[in-house]
Amino acid sequence: MLNPDSLGRTFHGAESVSVTQSEIQGFASVIGETDFSVAPPTFSIRITLEQSQSLLSDPSVGLDWSRVVHGDQKFEIFRPIVAGDQLRCSSTIENYKVAAGNEIVTVRSDLHSGEELVVSTWSTLVVRA
Amino acid sequence: MIEVGTVIPERIFWINRELLKRYADASGDQNPIHQNETFAKSVGLPDVIAHGMLTMALVGKFVSDWAGGASAVKEISGRFTKPVIVGAGADVDLTVSGIVSEVNKSTVRLDLTATSAGVKVLGISKALVARS
């Protein structure tokens, strides 16, 4: 079960992640996008999935990632990600409830380039009972 | 003329096992339920299922093309209601359509629908795009 103290806590990634042209091209190609000048709208999941999981895997959080199913996903894109961006991830447990024995956790992950907020994402995770 | 109720023509994307492997590599999501049939069945799934985020990425492509490019997409969201089931050797459809739900001075809001084999796979899917 989630530790109640985790609710509202923000976990900051220690290091920034560099975005390369080949990563953007690889992601774009899969969906048939031929414009590689900016990242596709959902590209940031490549960064936030791993980063948020790593940030929220601390045993003190109490989130069992082995039983997590992805429920909802939302992206707010303030500007497109481009090659050369150095993005730092911070993740916050914004909401938590228990329904039918399942834990439902909403994790917000923000990607910053320096002081600039580039993308905010919300992932609703269902931890199956 | 874009107005509330304007329909974005339906489009079909095809998904197969090879695309799942490519998406796994491109996204970093190597969960075996998206690649390994034996594993998928061992955890109670009918077969290999597509990454929910692949379906949303394809909906993102649908929205990008309508809006005049990925740079125009300001928000995109959805709920993974049912899995896209991808059998060995099969090409399964992801059928995407949309309708304009709100027109603002500089943005347009869209309601999106995505089905596979006639089943809704993405619920309450919405996007906000810049007006071109």
Side-chain angles (χ1 to χ4, degrees):
Chain A
M1 294 291 279
L2 193 88
N3 177 348
D5 293 344
S6 304
L7 188 60
R9 263 179 79 189
T10 299
F11 298 80
H12 296 277
E15 285 174 20
S16 58
V17 175
S18 315
V19 177
T20 67
Q21 185 62 45
S22 75
E23 278 178 292
I24 289 178
Q25 199 160 327
F27 195 98
S29 299
V30 173
I31 57 171
E33 180 58 77
T34 52
D35 176 5
F36 303 142
S37 63
V38 298
T42 66
F43 173 84
S44 55
I45 197 77
R46 180 181 160 89
I47 301 166
T48 58
L49 182 75
E50 188 199 347
Q51 289 272 309
S52 64
Q53 192 162 342
S54 145
L55 291 172
L56 303 177
S57 283
D58 190 301
S60 70
V61 175
L63 191 57
D64 182 355
W65 283 92
S66 70
R67 290 186 294 135
V68 161
V69 176
H70 202 168
D72 293 51
Q73 180 67 35
K74 178 179 178 184
F75 298 83
E76 262 188 47
I77 304 154
F78 301 100
R79 70 146 167 91
I81 292 172
V82 293
D85 272 335
Q86 302 271 341
L87 301 172
R88 193 181 289 265
C89 182
S90 56
S91 295
T92 307
I93 297 176
E94 269 201 353
N95 202 1
Y96 175 75
K97 63 181 177 189
V98 177
N102 298 319
E103 296 177 88
I104 299 168
V105 184
T106 302
V107 176
R108 171 183 175 157
S109 294
D110 289 337
L111 292 177
H112 281 90
S113 167
E115 294 297 304
E116 179 194 15
L117 179 57
V118 179
V119 179
S120 290
T121 71
W122 288 261
S123 302
T124 301
L125 309 172
V126 181
V127 187
R128 290 193 293 183
Chain B
M1 174 72 187
I2 294 167
E3 56 192 10
V4 172
T6 297
V7 171
I8 309 173
E10 181 179 286
R11 179 163 160 196
I12 297 177
F13 296 91
W14 294 100
I15 298 178
N16 56 31
R17 293 270 181 93
E18 189 211 339
L19 191 70
L20 301 190
K21 169 71 176 123
R22 289 177 61 206
Y23 183 78
D25 292 340
S27 68
D29 183 348
Q30 298 287 352
N31 188 326
I33 60 172
H34 307 303
Q35 295 187 51
N36 183 324
E37 187 172 324
T38 309
F39 181 86
K41 288 178 174 170
S42 79
V43 296
L45 294 167
D47 207 325
V48 163
I49 62 168
H51 308 73
M53 285 308 306
L54 169 60
T55 64
M56 197 181 282
L58 292 168
V59 171
K61 169 65 172 154
F62 175 85
V63 173
S64 297
D65 286 351
W66 185 78
S71 300
V73 182
K74 295 175 169 299
E75 289 179 25
I76 183 162
S77 62
R79 170 169 296 172
F80 306 110
T81 48
K82 293 279 182 192
V84 175
I85 299 161
V86 186
D91 287 307
V92 300
D93 73 296
L94 180 75
T95 302
V96 184
S97 60
I99 188 166
V100 172
S101 62
E102 194 180 302
V103 179
N104 304 305
K105 197 171 167 193
S106 59
T107 58
V108 175
R109 217 168 263 287
L110 308 176
D111 283 341
L112 301 155
T113 304
T115 63
S116 180
V119 175
K120 187 188 253 200
V121 293
L122 207 56
I124 53 169
S125 183
K126 295 174 187 301
L128 180 70
V129 303
R131 288 185 77 168
S132 47

